[in-house]
Amino acid sequence: MSGKADPRPAGDGTTSRARLDRGRGALGPALELVHTGRAPTRAVLTAELGVTRATAGAVAAELEALGLIRVDARPGAAAGSQGRPSHRLEVAEEGPVALAAQVHADGFRAALVGLGGRIVATTPSCETVDADPAKVLGAAVDAGAELLRQTGLPCVGAGLAVPSAVTEPEGLALNPLHLAWPVGAPVREIFAERIRAAGLTGPGFVGNDVNLAALAEHRHGAGRGARDLLCVATGHRGVGGALVLDGRLHTGSSGLALEVGHLTVNPEGRPCYCGSRGCLDVEADPLALLTTAGRDPGPEGSLLQQANELVREEYGDPVVRMAAEALIDRLGLGLAGLVNILNPDRIILGGLHRTLLDADPDRLRAVVADRSLWGRSGGVPILACSLDHNSLVGAAELAWQPVLDDPLRALGRV
């Protein structure tokens, strides 16, 4: 053993680099913890990663150098707290964004979404959807590209939400029932082509709109902390469902799982677009409510907007209330069947279903409990989705995932 002292002072660049090298595999997990709000401080990050405080500091510093997070080294101590307060960690407000687009029966919208599920900019909703998916997706990508030009922010990739099951790995829209698109439209290929045509770099991803809403709510909204999360929602037409298991979407062997809209909840009910009768898709969507209440859909606003306003503003009207209760009962029947099969620890509802839950929470929960195998003793919490534009946020999550998996590689730093 030499008697010479190490000439390098503690904490110099070489030591920090060594710590970062040891913690490089933790960059992705660390970023995901900050992204989902589970590591608001460096102390929590250290504990969650199971590394030393020095390594956690080096990892946080590297993520800050990449422009992904911000480290607040001078936070105020909480009242009554003991010891030195930990550095706070936040996503970088001026950091990169993902381009997100959503297409639904009544139009489409594009947005830029940063880490943390934060919508940085959004276009107005376009209220027409062409029968040619290439035209629609081209317009959506062009609108998003214009937002990027206006903000000057770098883009990590793009994600698209569509009201259809999307096959994996081909990326085909298998059942765009409420669009005039051809069955099996190659939406992923078209989306990727339009991204390249707009001069954008980064990968393009496509998913079902309710799947992506569930992913966004699990990471940033009402589903946060759930292990087995069931999401059921009305879009502008029809009913969709999604399941998140242990933090990941369950899409089945080829992307077609959880087509809950085609559960039969009224055998003598309305004909469904799928060829069956009385499906949840046509018994519990906005058009079903308006029709049951004797209201003709007008040209002002989308069907979803009209149905939501009817419940919120006229629930005291006996005819409207009866129509809403009929939908609640049909929805509750479908949810009870799903609870019996899936045993989720939380259910979240979006679109018109969220509005119906707000209007009469006791009725819906009672129907589900009465029809569930475990009854009231095993009741599952039913909550409203809490994010605005959650399908857009979920589409952005697809584009952010490569960065969360390996920040250095995704950003071209290796």
Coordinates of all heavy atoms in Angstrom, one line a residue, residues 94-173:
E94 N -38.7 23.5 -20.4 CA -38.3 23.8 -21.7 C -37.6 22.7 -22.4 O -36.9 22.8 -23.4 CB -37.3 25.0 -21.6 CG -37.9 26.3 -21.1 CD -39.2 26.7 -21.9 OE1 -39.1 26.7 -23.1 OE2 -40.1 27.2 -21.2
G95 N -37.9 21.5 -21.9 CA -37.2 20.3 -22.5 C -37.9 19.8 -23.7 O -38.9 20.4 -24.3
P96 N -37.5 18.7 -24.3 CA -38.1 18.1 -25.5 C -39.6 17.8 -25.3 O -40.1 17.7 -24.2 CB -37.3 16.9 -25.8 CG -36.2 16.8 -24.8 CD -36.5 17.8 -23.7
V97 N -40.3 17.6 -26.4 CA -41.7 17.2 -26.4 C -41.9 16.0 -27.3 O -41.1 15.7 -28.2 CB -42.6 18.4 -26.8 CG1 -42.5 19.5 -25.8 CG2 -42.2 18.9 -28.2
A98 N -43.1 15.4 -27.2 CA -43.5 14.4 -28.2 C -44.7 15.0 -28.9 O -45.5 15.8 -28.3 CB -44.0 13.1 -27.5
L99 N -44.8 14.7 -30.2 CA -46.0 15.1 -31.0 C -47.0 14.1 -30.8 O -46.8 12.9 -31.0 CB -45.6 15.3 -32.5 CG -46.6 16.0 -33.4 CD1 -45.9 16.5 -34.6 CD2 -47.7 15.0 -33.8
A100 N -48.2 14.5 -30.4 CA -49.3 13.6 -30.2 C -50.5 14.0 -31.1 O -50.8 15.2 -31.3 CB -49.8 13.5 -28.7
A101 N -51.2 13.0 -31.6 CA -52.4 13.3 -32.4 C -53.5 12.3 -32.1 O -53.2 11.1 -31.7 CB -52.1 13.1 -33.9
Q102 N -54.7 12.7 -32.1 CA -55.9 11.9 -31.9 C -56.9 12.1 -32.9 O -57.2 13.2 -33.3 CB -56.5 12.2 -30.5 CG -57.7 11.3 -30.2 CD -58.4 11.6 -28.9 OE1 -58.1 12.6 -28.3 NE2 -59.3 10.8 -28.5
V103 N -57.4 11.0 -33.5 CA -58.5 11.0 -34.4 C -59.7 10.3 -33.8 O -59.6 9.3 -33.1 CB -58.2 10.2 -35.7 CG1 -59.3 10.3 -36.7 CG2 -56.9 10.8 -36.3
H104 N -60.9 11.0 -33.9 CA -62.2 10.4 -33.4 C -63.3 10.6 -34.4 O -63.0 11.2 -35.5 CB -62.5 10.9 -32.0 CG -62.5 12.4 -31.9 ND1 -63.5 13.2 -32.5 CD2 -61.6 13.3 -31.4 CE1 -63.3 14.4 -32.2 NE2 -62.1 14.5 -31.6
A105 N -64.5 10.2 -34.1 CA -65.5 10.2 -35.1 C -65.9 11.6 -35.5 O -66.4 11.9 -36.6 CB -66.8 9.5 -34.6
D106 N -65.6 12.6 -34.6 CA -66.1 14.0 -34.9 C -64.9 14.9 -35.2 O -65.1 16.1 -35.2 CB -66.8 14.5 -33.7 CG -68.2 13.8 -33.5 OD1 -68.9 13.7 -34.5 OD2 -68.4 13.3 -32.4
G107 N -63.7 14.4 -35.4 CA -62.6 15.3 -35.8 C -61.3 14.7 -35.4 O -61.1 13.5 -35.0
F108 N -60.3 15.6 -35.3 CA -59.0 15.2 -34.9 C -58.3 16.5 -34.2 O -58.7 17.6 -34.4 CB -58.1 14.7 -36.0 CG -57.8 15.7 -37.1 CD1 -56.7 16.5 -37.0 CD2 -58.6 15.8 -38.2 CE1 -56.4 17.4 -38.0 CE2 -58.3 16.7 -39.2 CZ -57.2 17.5 -39.1
R109 N -57.2 16.2 -33.5 CA -56.5 17.2 -32.8 C -55.0 16.8 -32.7 O -54.7 15.6 -32.6 CB -57.1 17.4 -31.4 CG -56.4 18.6 -30.6 CD -56.9 18.6 -29.2 NE -58.3 18.8 -29.0 CZ -58.8 20.1 -28.9 NH1 -58.0 21.1 -28.8 NH2 -60.1 20.2 -28.7
A110 N -54.1 17.8 -32.7 CA -52.7 17.5 -32.5 C -52.2 18.3 -31.3 O -52.8 19.4 -30.9 CB -51.9 17.9 -33.7
A111 N -51.2 17.8 -30.6 CA -50.6 18.5 -29.4 C -49.2 18.2 -29.3 O -48.6 17.2 -29.8 CB -51.4 18.1 -28.2
L112 N -48.5 19.0 -28.5 CA -47.1 18.7 -28.0 C -47.2 18.4 -26.5 O -47.8 19.2 -25.8 CB -46.2 19.9 -28.3 CG -46.1 20.5 -29.7 CD1 -45.2 21.7 -29.8 CD2 -45.8 19.4 -30.7
V113 N -46.6 17.3 -26.1 CA -46.7 16.9 -24.7 C -45.3 16.6 -24.2 O -44.5 15.9 -24.8 CB -47.5 15.6 -24.6 CG1 -47.7 15.2 -23.2 CG2 -48.9 15.7 -25.3
G114 N -45.0 17.3 -23.1 CA -43.7 17.1 -22.5 C -43.7 16.0 -21.5 O -44.7 15.3 -21.3
L115 N -42.5 15.8 -20.8 CA -42.5 14.8 -19.7 C -43.5 15.2 -18.6 O -43.8 16.4 -18.5 CB -41.1 14.8 -19.2 CG -40.0 14.0 -20.0 CD1 -38.6 14.3 -19.5 CD2 -40.3 12.5 -19.9
G116 N -43.9 14.2 -17.9 CA -44.8 14.5 -16.8 C -46.3 14.5 -17.3 O -47.2 14.8 -16.6
G117 N -46.5 14.2 -18.6 CA -47.8 14.3 -19.2 C -48.3 15.7 -19.4 O -49.6 15.9 -19.5
R118 N -47.4 16.7 -19.4 CA -47.8 18.1 -19.5 C -48.1 18.5 -21.0 O -47.2 18.4 -21.8 CB -46.7 18.9 -18.9 CG -47.0 20.4 -18.9 CD -45.9 21.1 -18.1 NE -44.6 20.8 -18.7 CZ -44.0 21.5 -19.7 NH1 -44.6 22.6 -20.2 NH2 -42.8 21.1 -20.1
I119 N -49.3 18.9 -21.3 CA -49.6 19.4 -22.6 C -49.0 20.8 -22.8 O -49.4 21.7 -22.1 CB -51.1 19.4 -22.9 CG1 -51.6 17.9 -22.9 CG2 -51.4 20.1 -24.2 CD1 -53.1 17.8 -23.2
V120 N -48.1 21.0 -23.6 CA -47.4 22.2 -23.8 C -48.1 23.1 -24.8 O -48.2 24.3 -24.6 CB -45.9 22.0 -24.4 CG1 -45.2 23.3 -24.7 CG2 -45.1 21.1 -23.4
A121 N -48.7 22.5 -25.9 CA -49.4 23.3 -26.9 C -50.4 22.4 -27.6 O -50.1 21.2 -27.7 CB -48.5 23.9 -27.9
T122 N -51.5 22.9 -28.0 CA -52.5 22.1 -28.7 C -53.2 22.9 -29.8 O -53.3 24.1 -29.7 CB -53.5 21.5 -27.7 OG1 -54.4 20.7 -28.4 CG2 -54.3 22.6 -27.1
T123 N -53.6 22.2 -30.8 CA -54.3 22.8 -31.9 C -55.8 22.8 -31.6 O -56.2 22.0 -30.8 CB -54.1 22.1 -33.2 OG1 -54.6 20.7 -33.1 CG2 -52.6 22.0 -33.6
P124 N -56.6 23.7 -32.2 CA -58.0 23.5 -32.1 C -58.5 22.2 -32.7 O -57.8 21.7 -33.6 CB -58.6 24.7 -32.8 CG -57.4 25.7 -33.0 CD -56.2 24.8 -33.0
S125 N -59.6 21.7 -32.2 CA -60.1 20.4 -32.8 C -60.7 20.7 -34.2 O -61.4 21.6 -34.4 CB -61.2 19.8 -31.9 OG -61.7 18.7 -32.4
C126 N -60.2 19.9 -35.1 CA -60.8 19.9 -36.5 C -62.0 19.0 -36.5 O -62.0 17.9 -35.9 CB -59.8 19.4 -37.5 SG -60.4 19.3 -39.2
E127 N -63.1 19.5 -37.0 CA -64.4 18.8 -36.9 C -64.8 18.0 -38.1 O -66.0 17.6 -38.3 CB -65.5 19.8 -36.5 CG -65.2 20.4 -35.1 CD -66.3 21.4 -34.7 OE1 -67.3 21.6 -35.5 OE2 -66.3 21.9 -33.6
T128 N -63.8 17.7 -39.0 CA -64.1 16.8 -40.1 C -63.1 15.7 -40.2 O -61.9 15.9 -39.9 CB -64.1 17.6 -41.4 OG1 -62.8 18.2 -41.6 CG2 -65.2 18.7 -41.4
V129 N -63.5 14.5 -40.6 CA -62.6 13.4 -40.8 C -62.8 12.8 -42.2 O -63.9 12.3 -42.5 CB -62.8 12.3 -39.7 CG1 -61.9 11.1 -40.0 CG2 -62.6 12.8 -38.3
D130 N -61.8 12.9 -43.0 CA -61.9 12.4 -44.4 C -61.9 10.9 -44.4 O -61.4 10.3 -43.5 CB -60.7 12.9 -45.2 CG -60.9 12.8 -46.7 OD1 -60.7 11.7 -47.2 OD2 -61.3 13.8 -47.3
A131 N -62.6 10.4 -45.4 CA -62.6 8.9 -45.6 C -61.3 8.3 -45.9 O -61.1 7.1 -45.8 CB -63.6 8.5 -46.6
D132 N -60.3 9.2 -46.4 CA -59.0 8.7 -46.7 C -58.1 8.9 -45.5 O -57.8 10.1 -45.1 CB -58.4 9.5 -47.9 CG -57.0 9.1 -48.3 OD1 -56.4 8.2 -47.6 OD2 -56.5 9.6 -49.3
P133 N -57.6 7.9 -44.8 CA -56.8 8.1 -43.6 C -55.5 8.9 -43.8 O -55.1 9.6 -43.0 CB -56.5 6.7 -43.1 CG -56.8 5.8 -44.2 CD -57.9 6.5 -45.0
A134 N -55.0 8.8 -45.0 CA -53.7 9.5 -45.3 C -54.0 11.0 -45.3 O -53.1 11.7 -44.8 CB -53.2 9.1 -46.7
K135 N -55.1 11.5 -45.7 CA -55.4 12.9 -45.7 C -55.6 13.4 -44.2 O -55.0 14.4 -43.8 CB -56.7 13.2 -46.5 CG -56.5 13.0 -48.0 CD -57.8 13.4 -48.7 CE -57.6 13.3 -50.2 NZ -58.9 13.7 -50.9
V136 N -56.3 12.6 -43.4 CA -56.5 13.0 -42.0 C -55.2 13.0 -41.2 O -54.8 13.9 -40.5 CB -57.5 12.0 -41.3 CG1 -57.7 12.4 -39.9 CG2 -58.8 12.0 -42.1
L137 N -54.4 11.9 -41.4 CA -53.1 11.8 -40.6 C -52.1 12.8 -41.1 O -51.4 13.4 -40.3 CB -52.6 10.4 -40.7 CG -53.5 9.3 -40.2 CD1 -52.7 8.0 -40.1 CD2 -54.0 9.6 -38.8
G138 N -52.1 13.1 -42.4 CA -51.3 14.2 -43.0 C -51.6 15.5 -42.4 O -50.7 16.3 -42.0
A139 N -52.9 15.8 -42.3 CA -53.3 17.1 -41.7 C -53.0 17.2 -40.2 O -52.5 18.3 -39.7 CB -54.8 17.3 -41.9
A140 N -53.1 16.1 -39.5 CA -52.8 16.1 -38.1 C -51.3 16.3 -37.9 O -50.9 17.1 -37.0 CB -53.3 14.8 -37.4
V141 N -50.5 15.6 -38.6 CA -49.0 15.7 -38.5 C -48.6 17.1 -38.9 O -47.8 17.7 -38.2 CB -48.3 14.7 -39.3 CG1 -46.8 15.0 -39.4 CG2 -48.6 13.3 -38.8
D142 N -49.2 17.7 -39.9 CA -48.8 19.0 -40.4 C -49.1 20.0 -39.3 O -48.4 21.0 -39.0 CB -49.5 19.4 -41.7 CG -48.9 18.6 -42.9 OD1 -47.8 18.1 -42.7 OD2 -49.6 18.6 -43.9
A143 N -50.3 19.8 -38.6 CA -50.7 20.8 -37.6 C -49.7 20.7 -36.4 O -49.3 21.7 -35.8 CB -52.1 20.4 -37.1
G144 N -49.3 19.4 -36.1 CA -48.3 19.3 -35.0 C -47.0 19.8 -35.4 O -46.3 20.4 -34.5
A145 N -46.6 19.7 -36.6 CA -45.3 20.2 -37.1 C -45.3 21.7 -37.0 O -44.2 22.3 -36.7 CB -45.0 19.8 -38.5
E146 N -46.4 22.3 -37.2 CA -46.5 23.8 -37.1 C -46.3 24.2 -35.7 O -45.7 25.2 -35.4 CB -47.8 24.3 -37.7 CG -48.1 25.8 -37.6 CD -47.0 26.6 -38.3 OE1 -46.4 26.1 -39.3 OE2 -46.8 27.8 -37.9
L147 N -46.9 23.5 -34.7 CA -46.7 23.8 -33.3 C -45.2 23.7 -32.9 O -44.7 24.5 -32.2 CB -47.5 22.8 -32.4 CG -49.0 22.9 -32.4 CD1 -49.7 21.9 -31.5 CD2 -49.5 24.3 -31.9
L148 N -44.5 22.7 -33.5 CA -43.1 22.5 -33.2 C -42.3 23.7 -33.8 O -41.4 24.3 -33.1 CB -42.6 21.3 -33.8 CG -43.0 19.9 -33.2 CD1 -42.6 18.7 -34.0 CD2 -42.3 19.8 -31.8
R149 N -42.7 24.2 -34.9 CA -42.0 25.4 -35.5 C -42.3 26.6 -34.6 O -41.4 27.4 -34.4 CB -42.5 25.6 -36.9 CG -41.9 24.7 -37.9 CD -42.2 25.1 -39.4 NE -43.6 24.8 -39.7 CZ -44.0 23.7 -40.2 NH1 -43.2 22.7 -40.4 NH2 -45.3 23.6 -40.5
Q150 N -43.5 26.8 -34.2 CA -43.8 27.9 -33.3 C -43.1 27.9 -32.0 O -42.7 29.0 -31.5 CB -45.4 28.0 -33.1 CG -46.2 28.3 -34.4 CD -47.7 28.1 -34.1 OE1 -48.1 27.8 -33.0 NE2 -48.5 28.3 -35.2
T151 N -43.0 26.7 -31.4 CA -42.4 26.7 -30.1 C -40.9 26.5 -30.1 O -40.2 26.9 -29.2 CB -42.9 25.5 -29.3 OG1 -42.7 24.3 -30.0 CG2 -44.5 25.6 -29.1
G152 N -40.4 26.0 -31.2 CA -38.9 25.8 -31.3 C -38.4 24.6 -30.5 O -37.2 24.5 -30.3
L153 N -39.3 23.8 -29.9 CA -38.8 22.7 -29.0 C -38.4 21.5 -29.8 O -39.0 21.2 -30.9 CB -40.0 22.3 -28.1 CG -40.4 23.4 -27.1 CD1 -41.7 23.0 -26.4 CD2 -39.3 23.7 -26.1
P154 N -37.4 20.8 -29.3 CA -37.0 19.5 -30.0 C -38.1 18.4 -29.8 O -38.8 18.4 -28.7 CB -35.7 19.1 -29.3 CG -35.8 19.8 -28.0 CD -36.5 21.1 -28.2
C155 N -38.2 17.5 -30.7 CA -39.2 16.5 -30.7 C -38.6 15.1 -30.6 O -37.7 14.8 -31.3 CB -40.1 16.6 -31.9 SG -41.4 15.4 -32.0
V156 N -39.0 14.2 -29.6 CA -38.5 12.9 -29.5 C -39.1 11.9 -30.3 O -38.6 10.7 -30.5 CB -38.5 12.5 -28.0 CG1 -37.7 13.5 -27.1 CG2 -39.9 12.4 -27.5
G157 N -40.3 12.2 -30.8 CA -41.1 11.2 -31.6 C -42.5 11.6 -31.6 O -42.9 12.6 -31.2
A158 N -43.4 10.7 -32.2 CA -44.8 11.0 -32.4 C -45.6 9.8 -32.0 O -45.2 8.7 -32.3 CB -45.1 11.5 -33.8
G159 N -46.8 10.1 -31.5 CA -47.8 9.0 -31.2 C -49.2 9.4 -31.7 O -49.5 10.6 -31.7
L160 N -49.9 8.4 -32.1 CA -51.3 8.6 -32.6 C -52.3 7.7 -31.9 O -52.1 6.5 -31.7 CB -51.3 8.2 -34.1 CG -52.6 8.2 -34.9 CD1 -53.3 9.5 -34.9 CD2 -52.4 7.6 -36.2
A161 N -53.4 8.3 -31.5 CA -54.5 7.5 -30.9 C -55.7 7.5 -31.9 O -56.1 8.5 -32.5 CB -55.0 8.2 -29.7
V162 N -56.2 6.3 -32.2 CA -57.3 6.1 -33.1 C -58.4 5.3 -32.5 O -58.2 4.4 -31.6 CB -56.8 5.4 -34.4 CG1 -55.9 6.2 -35.2 CG2 -56.2 4.0 -34.1
P163 N -59.7 5.5 -32.9 CA -60.8 4.7 -32.3 C -61.0 3.4 -33.0 O -62.0 3.1 -33.6 CB -62.0 5.7 -32.6 CG -61.6 6.3 -33.9 CD -60.1 6.5 -33.8
S164 N -60.0 2.5 -32.8 CA -60.0 1.2 -33.4 C -59.0 0.3 -32.7 O -58.0 0.8 -32.2 CB -59.7 1.3 -34.9 OG -59.4 0.0 -35.5
A165 N -59.3 -1.0 -32.7 CA -58.2 -1.9 -32.3 C -57.1 -1.8 -33.3 O -57.4 -1.7 -34.5 CB -58.8 -3.3 -32.3
V166 N -55.9 -1.8 -32.8 CA -54.7 -1.7 -33.7 C -53.9 -3.0 -33.6 O -53.4 -3.3 -32.5 CB -53.8 -0.5 -33.4 CG1 -52.6 -0.4 -34.2 CG2 -54.6 0.8 -33.5
T167 N -53.7 -3.7 -34.7 CA -53.0 -5.0 -34.6 C -51.5 -4.8 -34.4 O -51.0 -3.8 -34.8 CB -53.2 -5.8 -35.9 OG1 -52.6 -5.0 -37.0 CG2 -54.7 -6.0 -36.2
E168 N -51.0 -5.7 -33.7 CA -49.5 -5.8 -33.4 C -48.9 -7.0 -34.1 O -49.5 -8.1 -34.0 CB -49.2 -5.7 -31.9 CG -49.7 -4.5 -31.2 CD -48.9 -3.3 -31.6 OE1 -47.9 -3.4 -32.2 OE2 -49.4 -2.2 -31.2
P169 N -47.8 -6.9 -34.8 CA -47.0 -5.7 -34.9 C -47.3 -4.8 -36.2 O -46.6 -3.9 -36.4 CB -45.6 -6.2 -35.0 CG -45.7 -7.5 -35.7 CD -47.1 -8.1 -35.3
E170 N -48.3 -5.2 -36.9 CA -48.5 -4.6 -38.2 C -48.9 -3.1 -38.2 O -48.6 -2.3 -39.0 CB -49.5 -5.4 -39.0 CG -49.1 -6.8 -39.3 CD -49.6 -7.7 -38.2 OE1 -50.1 -7.2 -37.1 OE2 -49.6 -9.0 -38.3
G171 N -49.7 -2.8 -37.1 CA -50.2 -1.4 -37.0 C -51.4 -1.2 -37.9 O -51.5 -0.1 -38.5
L172 N -52.3 -2.1 -38.1 CA -53.5 -2.0 -38.9 C -54.7 -1.6 -38.0 O -54.9 -2.2 -36.9 CB -53.8 -3.3 -39.6 CG -52.7 -3.9 -40.4 CD1 -53.2 -5.2 -41.1 CD2 -52.1 -3.0 -41.5
A173 N -55.5 -0.6 -38.5 CA -56.7 -0.3 -37.8 C -57.8 -1.3 -38.2 O -58.4 -1.2 -39.3 CB -57.2 1.1 -38.2

